[in-house]
Amino acid sequence: DYMLILVKVLAILLFAICISLIIIRYSINESSGFGPVFEEQPVDTIYPEESPEDKIIMSCRTRANPPATYRWRLDNTEIVIGNDDHYSLMGGNLVISFPDKSKHAGNYSCLASNEFGTLVSQKASVQFGYLDMFSSDEREAVYVKEGQGAVLLCAPPPHLPEDLSFRWMLNEFPEFILLDKRRFVSQTTGNLYISTVRASDSGNYSCFVSSPSIAKSVFSKFIPLVPIAEREKYPADIKVKSADTYTLMGQNITLECFALGNPIPQIRWRKVDGDLPVYRHNISMSGSLLHLYDIQYEDEGLYECEANNSKGKDRHKVHLYVEAPEWVEKISSSERDIGGDYIMSCLASGKPKPHVHFLKNGRMCVYSNHELRFTDLTFDDSGMYQCIAENRHGTIYANAELRVFAGAPSFEWNPVKPKLLGAKNGRVVIDCKPRAAPQPSISWSKGTELLHNSSRIFIWPDGSLELLNVTKSDEGKYTCFAENDRGRANSTGSLSVTDATKITLAPSNADISVGESTRMECAASHDPTLDLTFIWSLDAHAIDFDQDREHYERKMAGTSSSELLISNTQLRHAGRYSCTAQTPVDNVTVSAELVVRGPPGPPGGVRVDEVMTSSVRVTWSHGTDNLSPISKYSVQYRDERAQQDWRDASTSPVNVEGNAEMASVINLTPWTEYEFRVIATNTLGTGPPSDPSPKITTREARPVVAPSEIGGGGGTSRELTITWTPVQPQYYYGSNFGYIIAFKPHNDPEWMRVTVTDPQTQKYVHKDSKIPPSTRFEVKMKAFNSQGEGPFSVSAFICSAQDGGDLTDVCFHLSSCRSSHHHRGEDNEASAQRVLVPSRENHTRLDNMKPNSHYLIEVRAYNGAGYGPASQRHKIYTKRAPPSRPPKIIGTKMNYSGTTINIAWEQVEPLANESTVEGYKVLYRPEGQPNGVLYTTVKQSIDLPMKKGDYLVEVRAHSEGGDGAVAQVRIAAL
């Protein structure tokens, strides 16, 4: 009986040992391998129906140990390799031989498996591509007036896929038309757009369509374009308009915009609710294409295209939506202890909200909300898991392997630290983190003494040992014991106690202004066997002395003290400075506050309302005063049409107090697009400007400026030629701008009136068989717009054309005289500019001459019978024009006493056709007054006396050809 019992006991022990060996062996084998990880997945494929290739290859490759085996699905149905001659495997790749559209079109996915589990690839489609021929029907001719726009329709034939590229041929293959700011081909419709048709556009056009996916091209029948002679001008009219666009994260998109019109419209893009991405956008084709790269969620919003010419403007807005799914939280591979709890979480964002589901080894598994929960983990929970999020715009995958671990405690990879240091009266934590599963129980001993929780000793739930108020008596060897149902282990470390580190000199608080310097000192005592270092930080962030060496410098005075120098202090340097004295064992920290006072921050929320013809109301909110009260505000404006720099605005009240949050801006120009910004000033200086306000356009008003330099005369018999200098666009004051010309014989009471609708026209010829030759006419002009008519100009007197005949031999009484001047290179009677001079005068002034040009001058007398002989011609040479670029003001700096202010500017470099700069003129005048003190200098700076009130400084270059463009800066009273 004894032997029988012994045999049974041995059998039970042997069985238990075998079971343990199986569990250990399973854990070891599992840890030495891993499940499949995709390195290459199938992608969407277009197979041309006319392709000479007789197979399609869908790629699938993984990294796995042991190597994976592969299966494939078509539309979620498993493909049985071998049962269909069309399918075969080449490694993990699926080969489709002799593809058939009726059998092989659809969505494919690859399944990779080994002993650790199965992964399913992303789905990839197979489509059969084609591009049909264009219709053989003849295309009708397109007749267009010169100056008008034209659209030639492409109408591409049936095709798959949708992505096509378009070009147009002119007259014959392969003469492709070159695209420019006048001609544009939409890559959405294929249509050809010509903004302004010219006679040279006459010809036969054909739309050339290419499908890059199937490498095939076709072209349409030719379309005759026939321009009809006429030279009218038309406002900008946008014809190519991108529709609202939906895109995915990370993709690139192109928005199209093209306008018809004469003159050729200029096109500009902007993001209505923000700025275009600085490094991720490009504008091409003279503004017609806006390219956005690597789309992000912040790119979503409203984009505006504006087309503008002298006849009008047009706008189009397109909304960009970013709606792809994107992971907010996703699963990752993990090894977990047996018997524990675990949560796999997947959370995705997108519009519409993505649907999320889980797979285990390629099969659907039960989950709650966006989580997969495990309780009391077992080996059966190990496997390959996938989280899939999808909406109508796309599908994204996250893959992970879950491995369940079991084993006795082991300190092989993470033993207790063998040598431990602790500061006297300080705190010591000794970690105990063995690898074990299930979770082991932890106990500690010092030498042979078993430790328990007390007021100074505490064993944490994670096994770490904490000692408080450490003394020399705590020195010794500490051992951690770990045990679970699979075994036990221990690890030992030795603790030594050092002297504590103490601060002996703490930094002091400081209060300074921007630009000043200060210093902070810190010293400490420490254990002489340890190294001491000092760490300086600002608001809990360590100072980087290399990156910010312009402002920070650290000096050591011996081994026990440190000094922090702060130079040219800025507002960002204010805050709580901490000095940390640190040894390998302990550290101690003390702090001090640095207050930095400076100019105000930018005002916020600038808005514009109460928009009138020449005034608006600007409102804002106070920015930070940076510890010095705001004394005043300044408002600046920028005129979008003139594309000028920011200028000081005239306000009501003139001086805007520091407690104000609004002001009226006056003296603006009607029908002009403006944006505004606000700047705050205090006793320490002027702060940075606010962000610009939204752009506004002032209301329209009647024009107040009439055409200038009215003249004319000469021409063909029975004609009255009237010339003038057009009004500049900034003085249009409204839409539908044009001119009214009134003229009459000098002594006639009745005025004749004509209307000219093109604001850029400079000449009008009135033909009337009743006009007597060489008759003096009085002429005056005024402008009009949609709001009404402006004032008439001063009257000018010109003569109608004379009759022909030999003028040289005619004797006449000298009643008046005419001078003519010809620009060299235009030496003919028709091109000459003429000035009428009364007979009592023997001199006149010639205006509107071109700079840096040769002229020929001659004088003729004339009377009712015509012109007399010409005088001898006199040659003159006009001087070069003054510099067109204003000086760039680079600094305004007050001296320490506050009695003078230095204004500095960059050297003005004249263009090649401009006069050399001889010096600079500086006008120093009170704001709102035209007169002031004029200074001259040859330097690029000047010291001006500080005066009470607000002043404007105007700087311009001076040259032989006159004074150049002006730069302006405002000097605010403190």
Side-chain angles (χ1 to χ4, degrees):
D1 291 340
Y2 176 80
M3 289 298 295
L4 182 60
I5 292 172
L6 182 60
V7 170
K8 289 181 178 179
V9 170
L10 288 173
I12 292 170
L13 288 173
L14 183 61
F15 178 78
I17 290 170
C18 290
I19 293 297
S20 298
L21 288 173
I22 291 170
I23 293 173
I24 293 170
R25 180 177 180 276
Y26 178 78
S27 299
I28 291 172
N29 285 344
E30 186 173 356
S31 64
S32 64
F34 54 89
V37 178
F38 280 113
E39 292 188 330
E40 188 174 2
Q41 300 189 58
V43 295
D44 293 341
T45 300
I46 303 294
Y47 179 77
E49 291 184 354
E50 303 172 12
S51 174
E53 294 286 335
D54 57 2
K55 62 183 177 182
I56 299 172
I57 299 177
M58 305 294 285
S59 299
C60 185
R61 181 165 54 89
T62 63
R63 176 172 51 86
N65 186 12
T69 59
Y70 298 91
R71 295 174 289 140
W72 284 82
R73 292 175 182 164
L74 170 57
D75 294 333
N76 296 320
T77 300
E78 188 151 336
I79 299 172
V80 181
I81 306 296
N83 287 3
D84 189 329
D85 293 338
H86 289 281
Y87 292 113
S88 61
L89 283 180
M90 186 172 61
N93 298 342
L94 178 66
V95 180
I96 309 173
S97 301
F98 304 105
D100 183 333
K101 182 177 181 179
S102 64
K103 296 180 180 179
H104 301 132
N107 293 312
Y108 289 79
S109 53
C110 169
L111 291 81
S113 305
N114 70 2
E115 64 185 70
F116 297 116
T118 299
L119 277 186
V120 181
S121 74
Q122 64 190 17
K123 292 182 178 179
S125 67
V126 170
Q127 293 178 294
F128 287 73
Y130 63 92
L131 174 60
D132 289 350
M133 301 298 290
F134 273 96
S135 169
S136 59
D137 294 341
E138 294 295 329
R139 298 283 190 107
E140 292 185 3
V142 176
Y143 295 87
V144 185
K145 294 179 181 178
E146 290 183 25
Q148 284 188 333
V151 182
L152 302 185
L153 303 181
C154 179
H159 56 276
L160 185 79
E162 288 299 319
D163 59 320
L164 297 176
S165 65
F166 300 91
R167 290 189 292 173
W168 281 76
M169 297 185 299
L170 178 58
N171 294 329
E172 61 182 351
F173 180 85
E175 295 297 325
F176 293 102
I177 67 169
L178 297 178
L179 303 183
D180 50 29
K181 63 182 179 181
R182 197 172 63 89
R183 293 177 292 194
F184 177 77
V185 175
S186 170
Q187 295 303 310
T188 302
T189 63
N191 297 342
L192 170 63
Y193 296 84
I194 304 176
S195 65
T196 302
V197 171
R198 297 172 179 169
S200 58
D201 294 321
S202 177
N204 296 310
Y205 292 77
S206 172
C207 180
F208 189 88
V209 181
S210 299
S211 175
S213 300
I214 63 172
K216 181 180 178 181
S217 301
V218 295
F219 58 90
S220 71
K221 285 282 190 177
F222 281 93
I223 305 171
L225 176 62
V226 183
I228 300 172
E230 181 180 301
R231 288 300 181 95
E232 287 294 324
K233 295 188 176 181
Y234 304 92
D237 181 14
I238 296 176
K239 290 298 184 184
V240 180
K241 305 176 181 181
S242 283
D244 289 348
T245 302
Y246 296 83
T247 187
L248 308 184
M249 282 278 292
Q251 287 194 339
N252 304 332
I253 67 160
T254 297
L255 302 179
E256 295 183 333
C257 178
F258 189 76
L260 309 184
N262 186 22
I264 301 169
Q266 301 295 316
I267 296 175
R268 292 191 300 172
W269 285 93
R270 71 183 183 103
K271 191 169 189 285
V272 176
D273 45 4
D275 296 323
L276 293 172
V278 179
Y279 300 110
R280 293 185 294 103
H281 88 276
N282 180 49
I283 295 174
S284 66
M285 288 298 299
S286 302
S288 297
L289 300 179
L290 170 62
H291 309 277
L292 299 173
Y293 307 109
D294 187 23
I295 291 292
Q296 303 298 310
Y297 274 122
E298 59 265 27
D299 298 329
E300 184 171 274
L302 199 59
Y303 292 78
E304 182 184 79
C305 156
E306 180 185 275
N308 185 23
N309 67 7
S310 59
K311 296 296 291 182
K313 64 175 63 175
D314 193 11
R315 292 186 176 97
H316 172 65
K317 293 184 176 69
V318 54
H319 209 125
L320 177 65
Y321 300 93
V322 183
E323 299 199 341
E326 180 186 30
W327 289 122
V328 176
E329 182 181 358
K330 63 181 181 179
I331 59 177
S332 58
S333 295
S334 179
E335 186 174 81
R336 314 301 297 186
D337 292 345
I338 194 167
D341 296 338
Y342 181 52
I343 298 176
M344 282 187 173
S345 180
C346 263
L347 189 60
S349 64
K351 301 174 187 176
K353 183 175 176 60
H355 169 67
V356 176
H357 61 275
F358 288 85
L359 301 180
K360 179 188 178 185
N361 295 329
R363 298 180 179 277
M364 292 287 291
C365 52
V366 179
Y367 61 94
S368 174
N369 199 1
H370 59 277
E371 293 180 338
L372 198 57
R373 292 177 172 268
F374 301 88
T375 57
D376 192 17
L377 282 165
T378 67
F379 290 121
D380 289 340
D381 294 317
S382 296
M384 302 302 298
Y385 288 83
Q386 293 179 277
C387 179
I388 302 171
E390 54 189 334
N391 64 13
R392 67 172 179 259
H393 301 296
T395 303
I396 53 177
Y397 294 74
N399 305 330
E401 180 181 351
L402 174 60
R403 189 173 298 184
V404 177
F405 167 76
S410 171
F411 287 94
E412 179 181 0
W413 303 107
N414 196 20
V416 173
K417 193 174 181 181
K419 291 185 178 181
L420 303 162
L421 294 175
K424 187 177 179 181
N425 299 321
R427 168 178 172 267
V428 175
V429 175
I430 308 173
D431 290 332
C432 179
K433 296 182 177 178
R435 177 179 172 84
Q439 184 74 24
S441 60
I442 301 293
S443 60
W444 282 88
S445 70
K446 180 190 175 189
T448 59
E449 177 189 358
L450 190 64
L451 299 179
H452 301 281
N453 287 342
S454 66
S455 60
R456 281 201 325 114
I457 299 172
F458 184 69
I459 301 174
W460 291 1
D462 70 353
S464 300
L465 175 66
E466 180 181 26
L467 306 177
L468 301 176
N469 300 321
V470 174
T471 65
K472 283 286 187 181
S473 63
D474 291 318
E475 292 184 328
K477 293 185 177 181
Y478 289 80
T479 302
C480 173
F481 298 91
E483 182 178 4
N484 65 11
D485 60 1
R486 285 170 170 75
R488 61 180 299 171
N490 63 76
S491 182
T492 300
S494 180
L495 174 65
S496 299
V497 178
T498 63
D499 291 337
T501 305
K502 297 180 180 178
I503 295 291
T504 58
L505 176 63
S508 302
N509 295 336
D511 189 329
I512 61 175
S513 298
V514 166
E516 296 180 346
S517 301
T518 188
R519 66 180 61 206
M520 294 185 175
E521 296 178 305
C522 186
S525 62
H526 65 290
D527 191 295
T529 64
L530 301 174
D531 291 331
L532 177 68
T533 58
F534 289 91
I535 299 173
W536 288 93
S537 59
L538 170 59
D539 295 333
H541 296 285
I543 296 171
D544 187 331
F545 289 92
D546 290 329
Q547 185 176 351
D548 207 359
R549 58 180 175 274
E550 180 183 352
H551 298 285
Y552 289 116
E553 183 181 357
R554 175 176 51 189
K555 291 186 176 180
M556 292 294 296
T559 59
S560 300
S561 64
S562 176
E563 185 178 44
L564 174 66
L565 304 178
I566 311 174
S567 305
N568 188 22
T569 310
Q570 302 301 306
L571 292 170
R572 68 178 184 274
H573 297 135
R576 187 173 185 81
Y577 284 81
S578 298
C579 168
T580 300
Q582 180 175 288
T583 69
V585 177
D586 67 340
N587 64 76
V588 60
T589 299
V590 289
S591 301
E593 291 289 337
L594 175 62
V595 175
V596 180
R597 304 176 189 272
V606 178
R607 293 289 181 269
V608 183
D609 58 12
E610 297 185 7
V611 179
M612 309 301 287
T613 57
S614 60
S615 67
V616 299
R617 185 177 73 167
V618 179
T619 61
W620 62 88
S621 58
H622 295 298
T624 58
D625 63 9
N626 291 323
L627 306 177
S628 178
I630 296 172
S631 57
K632 61 183 292 185
Y633 285 100
S634 303
V635 181
Q636 294 184 326
Y637 70 90
R638 183 162 62 187
D639 178 348
E640 282 300 299
R641 180 192 289 115
Q643 295 184 343
Q644 59 189 204
D645 292 333
W646 289 96
R647 296 192 175 188
D648 292 323
S650 299
T651 59
S652 177
V654 175
N655 298 314
V656 183
E657 300 294 334
N659 59 355
E661 290 187 313
M662 66 178 180
S664 292
V665 177
I666 58 177
N667 299 333
L668 299 175
T669 302
W671 200 51
T672 301
E673 189 174 50
Y674 289 101
E675 55 184 343
F676 300 87
R677 68 182 187 183
V678 182
I679 302 173
T681 300
N682 63 15
T683 57
L684 297 178
T686 298
S690 68
D691 290 335
S693 69
K695 295 175 183 177
I696 61 95
T697 301
T698 48
R699 292 185 180 181
E700 297 186 14
R702 290 184 179 184
V704 297
V705 177
S708 60
E709 300 177 358
I710 299 172
T716 307
S717 177
R718 308 300 176 181
E719 288 183 353
L720 178 65
T721 301
I722 303 170
T723 61
W724 63 90
T725 297
V727 175
Q728 294 299 307
Q730 62 264 35
Y731 301 116
Y732 288 179
Y733 285 12
S735 56
N736 301 322
F737 186 85
Y739 306 114
I740 294 173
I741 306 174
F743 57 95
K744 67 183 180 66
H746 179 45
N747 296 318
D748 198 320
E750 294 295 327
W751 290 89
M752 290 175 280
R753 289 167 60 109
V754 294
T755 299
V756 178
T757 59
D758 183 354
Q760 297 301 312
T761 299
Q762 303 180 54
K763 179 180 178 181
Y764 170 73
V765 178
H766 183 71
K767 298 182 180 182
D768 189 342
S769 59
K770 298 178 182 179
I771 294 180
S774 302
T775 301
R776 197 169 187 230
F777 275 78
E778 182 178 357
V779 182
K780 58 184 178 180
M781 293 181 65
K782 64 180 175 180
F784 70 90
N785 62 19
S786 59
Q787 299 299 307
E789 300 176 1
F792 270 115
S793 66
V794 175
S795 290
F797 294 91
I798 62 175
C799 290
S800 61
Q802 76 282 359
D803 282 339
D806 185 359
L807 306 180
T808 353
D809 300 325
V810 177
C811 290
F812 55 88
H813 175 72
L814 183 65
S815 61
S816 63
C817 144
R818 163 165 256 160
S819 74
S820 301
H821 54 287
H822 304 255
H823 187 266
R824 288 290 296 271
E826 299 175 350
D827 190 5
N828 60 75
E829 182 74 19
S831 66
Q833 302 175 49
R834 296 176 175 83
V835 178
L836 186 68
V837 183
S839 60
R840 63 180 177 274
E841 300 288 346
N842 66 350
H843 65 279
T844 189
R845 177 184 177 88
L846 303 182
D847 294 317
N848 300 321
M849 302 179 78
K850 297 180 180 179
N852 193 25
S853 299
H854 287 280
Y855 280 88
L856 301 174
I857 310 284
E858 67 179 28
V859 180
R860 293 178 185 234
Y862 76 93
N863 63 8
Y867 285 100
S871 68
Q872 182 179 2
R873 287 187 174 182
H874 181 67
K875 298 178 182 179
I876 66 168
Y877 183 79
T878 55
K879 295 176 180 179
R880 293 188 178 190
S884 59
R885 292 181 288 197
K888 182 178 180 181
I889 296 178
I890 57 176
T892 58
K893 188 175 182 181
M894 189 185 302
N895 71 346
Y896 290 110
S897 63
T899 57
T900 64
I901 186 167
N902 179 269
I903 311 296
W905 57 88
E906 290 183 354
Q907 169 85 21
V908 173
E909 297 295 338
L911 302 177
N913 62 344
E914 295 178 344
S915 299
T916 303
V917 174
E918 297 177 345
Y920 298 90
K921 291 184 178 181
V922 181
L923 179 64
Y924 189 33
R925 62 180 177 86
E927 186 174 25
Q929 298 184 19
N931 300 322
V933 181
L934 182 65
Y935 300 85
T936 59
T937 179
V938 295
K939 300 179 180 179
Q940 277 88 58
S941 67
I942 191 170
D943 291 319
L944 300 174
M946 283 299 296
K947 299 182 179 181
K948 293 182 180 179
D950 294 339
Y951 275 74
L952 291 179
V953 178
E954 296 179 351
V955 184
R956 68 185 79 208
H958 176 68
S959 71
E960 181 187 39
D963 295 338
V966 66
Q968 189 181 83
V969 63
R970 187 170 181 263
I971 306 300
L974 298 180

